[in-house]
Amino acid sequence: MQLVSKSQLPMLPQKRPHPDSKSKPPPLPEAEQKIYTSIKSKQSMGIWTADIKRETGLPNTVVTKALKSLQNKNLIKDVVNVHNRAKKMFMAVEFEPSREISGGSWYTDGKLDTELINALKRVCLRYIAEHKVTTMEEISRSIEASRVLNVPCSMQQLLEIVRTLVLDKEIEEFRSKGAGEFARVPSGKTCYRISRGKVGTEAGYLASVPCGVCPRISECTPDGVISPKTCVYYNKWLNLDF
Amino acid sequence: MISQDGVNLAVCVITAHFGDLVAKVCSCLLKRGSLSLQEIVRTTEFSNSQVKNCLLVLIQHNCVQAFSVPRGGAGGATKTVTQYMALFDNILHRMRFSKFLAIVKGDLGVQCETLLQGILGYGRLTFDQLMVRATSKQSEGSSCNVDVLRKNFSKLVHGHYVERCPRPEPFIAPSEEAAPARKRSSKIIHFVLQFREEILSLEQQVVIAASLTDAERFSEIPNTGTDASVTEDKQDVTVGDKQIPFGEDQRKFESTELDEETEATISETEVLWRANFQKFVFCLKKKVCVAKVRSRKGLDAGVVLEAIIESSEQECDSSKIYGFKASMDSILEKVRGKPDGISMTLELVRGILEDLDCSSHTEDCNVYYTIELQCITESCRKDEVESLILTKYGKEAFRIFGLLNRKGSPVETDQISDFTLVDKKVAQQVLYNLWKDDFLSMQKVSVEGTGQRRENFLWKLNKKSSWNLVLNHLYHAALNLNQKITHVVEQEHEALLSEEKLKHLKNSRTILELSLLKLDDAIMIFHDF
């Protein structure tokens, strides 16, 4: 008896369709088809439930039932809109939510991944502090080589992190002059170093007195109900509560 | 245009120094602009003599300037009317007298400081009056050396700390008459700024018209030569080192000498002197800029900046509108004259000058460096506002504000959130709060996309109005500090206070007074520098 592989056997007619066969799925009921068409047309932007009802003109119960059915058939998925996490939004499964909906690479389920961002900031800051002057490429290479992160991080993402450090005045951004402390960086290239002095962290003159940060400053008048004489913030600031 | 907060602060200062009557007249001028005597009488409902006395006090203390304007009368006749204008800047300078005195004490010593104290206290004095004051202050048994006084006074004049008082009542012609003619006369002066003509406000025109030239302002009192000896022998007259033959020449010489003596007497008894606020503002500006550079770029950078400013003062004209220019040699000399600069090399100094963004050029084989303090003072203003935003609204707001400051153009909400990595909801709230408090302007834009219509918001930092907003907050805070100080002083005088409470109140007053001095530095950064 010669053993043959399954593939050598002639194909026999099937009594029931195979679950993996590529035959067309059964047509959707009218309501589901209408809703599915509406959702698919929005592509990666998705559509709110309320907008589906308005576009299709179908009653509430029909829409709700249809959406559940479509989800079970794996034709649509619900996505979180970063601008309004409470509202339900749907999208065809073959699309990925656009940046406008998802919020971008730093968002997961509509929430900003602050933990990842802060971790990356600490790592970048540590590298920049260890080196007098450094470039974006050096930061990226160093982080990749150190394998401190268990998630992949693109150069673009690292650039976004470094930009926030500049805005926070933790680091300074320069164009290299190609000489002095910038000698090893080609002239004109953007580079970074730790901020010198107390930039951005020293309290200003106005911020150092209660009036500077007072939420009621616009209501404060010399002889009014809110005045320097009666001000509770002043009394607390000077420990004059006696 | 002075804001209400600025007016309130100025009135508070005048009230504290001169009382309610004078303050009411001053308030009237600050709120309504320049007025004639009769207009002030009508507005304040004071008597003629009361208003006159108040104006005299304000003029004496350089808080008001009088000027004449033509006014059309009945029947087409034009008459000259005297109007009075409050000088807001000079009123606020009254809060800074202790700083001015400290500057002079540091530069010229205690004796000059005492002389300046007299001038500041009385507003304006003749040299004679200064001497009388100095003599009366001397303790019994010690004599007041007039020559020493004269010498110290000369130092103040030579250092431009004091100046001759401006013209008491300059004539201001209407602008339609003045513009076509563009004549220069002793009374009507048209200000041309670096070959451009600016449209000046009435206050600016009055101040310029009243001003003397630099040569006149700082013209020292002539020395009558106290060591001159005139012998009885009419054959040969010796005056100082000169030997003058008797006769016509001698008579001519004697009459010239008399004129000089008369001139000196007039200078001592009739010429009024006052503090030159411009100089003090400049000294404080220099101090703030050097401190800022020191904190940002290190001690060495502070030394170099100070050196370039001081070299520039010696080498060039004093009107530093567009920058301080000095040669490398003079900068180096100044740097090495300072304790922290002795060991600084040429290379280091050159590097720091480049780091300070000084422009350089070569002139007659010498390298010159020029620096503009405007960049440094603008940086001070930016830091002050950012510090306020950080303390009042939080770190996210600080980051967003920094981004909008850099961009300078409107930015959409999502873009702001993406760039600053601030959660979109949080960013929206922060932007709304900043907009509500007038730091930002907002623009709504409708956008069509994939069949949906969305509203986007664009946000922009309007620097000028934000900076004005902060300045008004500073005025308001300074007013509040003044009032709190008054309140604490009243509490100190209450009876039946325990020693501990009294000590606590005194400490509180010290904190408030120091805070007011610091806050005043910020007011100068936004208003005077």
Side-chain angles (χ1 to χ4, degrees):
Chain A
M1 198 175 202
Q2 198 179 5
L3 289 170
V4 291
S5 68
K6 221 176 182 177
S7 58
Q8 286 176 299
L9 287 171
M11 278 292 291
L12 297 168
Q14 304 278 316
K15 281 190 181 170
R16 287 197 202 100
H18 197 275
D20 295 326
S21 75
K22 287 178 184 167
S23 57
K24 272 189 181 171
L28 294 170
E30 195 187 327
E32 283 184 33
Q33 184 60 50
K34 210 172 176 180
I35 290 168
Y36 180 61
T37 308
S38 172
I39 292 171
K40 199 166 176 177
S41 71
K42 300 296 180 284
Q43 297 179 11
S44 60
M45 287 301 291
I47 183 168
W48 303 116
T49 319
D51 291 335
I52 296 171
K53 289 171 192 169
R54 197 172 30 91
E55 262 188 38
T56 57
L58 293 167
N60 226 357
T61 44
V62 170
V63 169
T64 312
K65 196 176 166 189
L67 285 171
K68 206 169 176 183
S69 171
L70 285 168
Q71 272 187 291
N72 289 338
K73 289 170 188 169
N74 208 25
L75 289 170
I76 64 170
K77 58 185 176 184
D78 63 48
V79 292
V80 178
N81 186 320
V82 74
H83 292 286
N84 201 328
R85 292 179 206 129
K87 281 165 83 170
K88 281 257 188 200
M89 185 170 235
F90 293 93
M91 192 176 288
V93 290
E94 58 265 38
F95 296 107
E96 283 304 314
S98 68
R99 195 185 168 89
E100 219 173 302
I101 304 301
S102 69
S105 53
W106 298 109
Y107 285 81
T108 313
D109 294 332
K111 278 188 183 169
L112 185 69
D113 197 343
T114 47
E115 219 175 287
L116 174 62
I117 290 169
N118 289 337
L120 280 169
K121 275 172 134 178
R122 278 193 298 272
V123 167
C124 290
L125 205 54
R126 194 163 54 232
Y127 181 81
I128 297 169
E130 285 167 5
H131 299 80
K132 226 175 173 182
V133 168
T134 185
T135 61
M136 210 49 241
E137 287 80 12
E138 286 170 351
I139 297 169
S140 174
R141 265 200 304 273
S142 161
I143 289 172
E144 207 179 307
S146 67
R147 295 178 196 240
V148 291
L149 301 168
N150 50 14
V151 292
C153 202
S154 66
M155 175 88 113
Q156 177 59 31
Q157 285 180 301
L158 284 176
L159 181 61
E160 288 172 12
I161 293 287
V162 167
R163 271 196 217 139
T164 60
L165 290 173
V166 173
L167 287 174
D168 285 343
K169 301 207 169 170
E170 307 257 22
I171 64 175
E172 295 171 325
E173 186 181 76
F174 290 95
R175 287 233 173 261
S176 169
K177 288 167 188 164
E181 60 181 333
F182 301 101
R184 56 180 198 83
V185 181
S187 179
K189 191 158 178 63
T190 305
C191 48
Y192 305 92
R193 71 176 171 205
I194 287 288
S195 287
R196 289 179 293 184
K198 294 179 184 176
V199 173
T201 55
E202 196 175 332
Y205 301 112
L206 190 53
S208 305
V209 296
C211 307
V213 295
C214 179
R216 313 294 290 271
I217 188 77
S218 52
E219 297 158 68
C220 171
T221 54
D223 299 310
V225 172
I226 300 173
S227 73
K229 286 182 191 173
T230 59
C231 180
V232 294
Y233 298 122
Y234 260 122
N235 290 343
K236 270 194 178 151
W237 183 53
L238 299 166
N239 288 325
L240 284 176
D241 288 328
F242 56 76
Chain B
M1 190 69 197
I2 309 163
S3 67
Q4 189 55 50
D5 289 311
V7 169
N8 291 345
L9 177 60
V11 170
C12 172
V13 170
I14 297 293
T15 309
H17 292 190
F18 304 119
D20 291 330
L21 283 181
V22 177
K24 192 162 180 187
V25 168
C26 186
S27 169
C28 168
L29 290 173
L30 283 167
K31 287 176 184 169
R32 290 166 181 263
S34 53
L35 297 170
S36 66
L37 178 67
Q38 288 314 312
E39 284 164 343
I40 299 170
V41 167
R42 260 201 308 276
T43 313
T44 57
E45 294 175 354
F46 289 165
S47 68
N48 233 343
S49 63
Q50 277 178 317
V51 170
K52 268 188 189 162
N53 288 337
C54 292
L55 284 171
L56 278 170
V57 169
L58 289 166
I59 292 170
Q60 170 72 20
H61 287 273
N62 310 298
C63 298
V64 158
Q65 171 72 50
F67 61 99
S68 310
V69 284
R71 195 176 277 183
T78 309
K79 59 174 186 171
T80 304
V81 170
T82 303
Q83 290 199 316
Y84 301 90
M85 182 179 77
L87 299 172
F88 176 72
D89 290 357
N90 287 3
I91 295 171
L92 288 198
H93 286 323
R94 299 194 65 80
M95 296 196 301
R96 297 161 189 149
F97 284 177
S98 59
K99 294 181 187 177
F100 299 166
L101 290 168
I103 290 169
V104 164
K105 186 180 177 182
D107 189 20
L108 301 175
V110 175
Q111 289 177 332
C112 289
E113 185 203 4
T114 311
L115 281 180
L116 180 67
Q117 200 169 26
I119 293 174
L120 289 173
Y122 285 90
R124 45 182 76 185
L125 290 171
T126 62
F127 178 72
D128 214 33
Q129 288 167 330
L130 255 182
M131 272 206 302
V132 165
R133 181 184 173 271
T135 320
S136 67
K137 275 188 170 288
Q138 290 294 321
S139 53
E140 281 179 11
S142 69
S143 62
C144 175
N145 192 327
V146 174
D147 282 340
V148 169
L149 264 173
R150 198 186 295 277
K151 194 174 145 192
N152 286 325
F153 186 75
S154 274
K155 280 189 203 173
L156 284 171
V157 176
H158 187 68
H160 292 193
Y161 292 112
V162 298
E163 62 176 2
R164 293 189 184 216
C165 285
R167 295 183 185 89
E169 196 177 317
F171 179 75
I172 308 294
S175 50
E176 308 88 66
E177 274 178 58
R182 284 182 201 156
K183 285 182 213 165
R184 281 180 175 254
S185 74
S186 59
K187 289 184 179 178
I188 305 163
I189 297 165
H190 298 280
F191 186 72
V192 178
L193 180 70
Q194 290 281 310
F195 311 110
R196 292 186 287 124
E197 281 187 9
E198 283 196 345
I199 299 167
L200 301 171
S201 64
L202 178 62
E203 180 174 320
Q204 286 169 317
Q205 286 180 55
V206 169
V207 167
I208 289 164
S211 299
L212 306 172
T213 61
D214 275 3
E216 287 170 316
R217 281 165 82 193
F218 306 114
S219 165
E220 294 187 34
I221 296 170
N223 196 340
T224 51
T226 48
D227 58 348
S229 57
V230 179
T231 63
E232 298 258 345
D233 185 357
K234 291 194 193 309
Q235 291 289 333
D236 293 311
V237 176
T238 309
V239 178
D241 291 332
K242 291 184 184 159
Q243 198 162 17
I244 310 296
F246 189 70
E248 206 175 294
D249 288 341
Q250 187 189 26
R251 278 198 294 277
K252 208 187 280 183
F253 185 81
E254 278 178 351
S255 70
T256 314
E257 278 291 296
L258 206 59
D259 286 343
E260 281 178 8
E261 260 190 56
T262 314
E263 196 189 310
T265 309
I266 291 168
S267 289
E268 287 182 16
T269 58
E270 293 186 15
V271 170
L272 285 165
W273 297 85
R274 68 174 194 176
N276 175 18
F277 295 129
Q278 264 181 348
K279 170 75 180 186
F280 290 111
V281 168
F282 171 74
C283 291
L284 290 169
K285 181 176 177 178
K286 184 175 94 176
K287 190 176 158 198
V288 161
C289 288
V290 168
K292 172 58 67 177
V293 161
R294 198 180 288 138
S295 77
R296 272 266 178 95
K297 296 181 188 280
L299 203 63
D300 291 345
V303 168
V304 170
L305 177 64
E306 214 169 14
I308 188 173
I309 295 172
E310 286 167 7
S311 314
S312 178
E313 281 179 296
Q314 282 180 350
E315 278 185 292
C316 311
D317 186 28
S318 60
S319 63
K320 301 287 180 290
I321 301 169
Y322 291 110
F324 293 84
K325 186 176 108 172
S327 65
M328 186 50 141
D329 291 338
S330 58
I331 294 171
L332 270 176
E333 200 186 315
K334 280 283 173 192
V335 162
R336 285 174 184 160
K338 295 179 184 297
D340 295 319
I342 288 172
S343 56
M344 284 171 73
T345 61
L346 172 66
E347 210 49 53
L348 179 62
V349 171
R350 195 177 283 137
I352 291 171
L353 287 167
E354 280 173 15
D355 198 24
L356 289 172
D357 293 326
C358 295
S359 58
S360 64
H361 69 278
T362 310
E363 211 177 286
D364 299 329
C365 303
N366 281 326
V367 179
Y368 283 85
Y369 286 88
T370 309
I371 188 166
E372 290 182 31
L373 294 189
Q374 274 308 106
C375 304
I376 302 174
T377 53
E378 181 58 28
S379 164
C380 291
R381 283 187 277 271
K382 189 170 82 78
D383 285 351
E384 179 64 30
V385 177
E386 285 181 348
S387 165
L388 178 68
I389 298 290
L390 175 66
T391 314
K392 193 168 179 180
Y393 302 97
K395 195 143 190 175
E396 286 86 9
F398 175 76
R399 208 182 291 160
I400 288 172
F401 192 85
L403 172 69
L404 291 172
N405 195 8
R406 280 171 170 237
K407 289 279 185 185
S409 55
V411 187
E412 197 263 319
T413 316
D414 275 350
Q415 277 185 334
I416 292 171
S417 165
D418 290 342
F419 210 97
T420 56
L421 295 184
V422 171
D423 184 87
K424 292 187 192 292
K425 280 270 180 229
V426 172
Q428 267 174 359
Q429 190 60 48
V430 163
L431 288 164
Y432 172 74
N433 288 339
L434 290 173
W435 168 75
K436 191 165 62 79
D437 291 344
D438 295 324
F439 283 102
L440 305 179
S441 61
M442 183 263 289
Q443 194 187 339
K444 223 189 272 186
V445 172
S446 293
V447 173
E448 289 268 2
T450 59
Q452 291 174 347
R453 192 184 179 81
R454 282 190 325 121
E455 271 184 346
N456 280 355
F457 293 92
L458 297 174
W459 309 89
K460 186 183 170 194
L461 170 63
N462 188 336
K463 223 186 244 189
K464 197 174 173 189
S465 61
S466 293
W467 274 207
N468 269 340
L469 181 72
V470 171
L471 178 58
N472 288 335
H473 280 326
L474 285 165
Y475 287 148
H476 195 155
L479 174 66
N480 285 354
L481 280 169
N482 267 305
Q483 294 195 321
K484 192 64 186 173
I485 290 169
T486 309
H487 183 229
V488 167
V489 167
E490 282 167 8
Q491 285 181 307
E492 280 177 31
H493 291 132
E494 273 170 21
L496 304 174
L497 271 182
S498 70
E499 211 176 291
E500 194 199 331
K501 279 184 185 174
L502 189 63
K503 189 181 171 189
H504 193 83
L505 282 169
K506 284 191 169 148
N507 286 341
S508 301
R509 181 152 57 99
T510 307
I511 293 170
L512 290 164
E513 284 166 353
L514 285 172
S515 299
L516 184 58
L517 283 174
K518 283 268 147 203
L519 203 76
D520 182 57
D521 285 344
I523 290 175
M524 293 195 85
I525 287 168
F526 280 85
H527 179 72
D528 296 278
F529 294 169

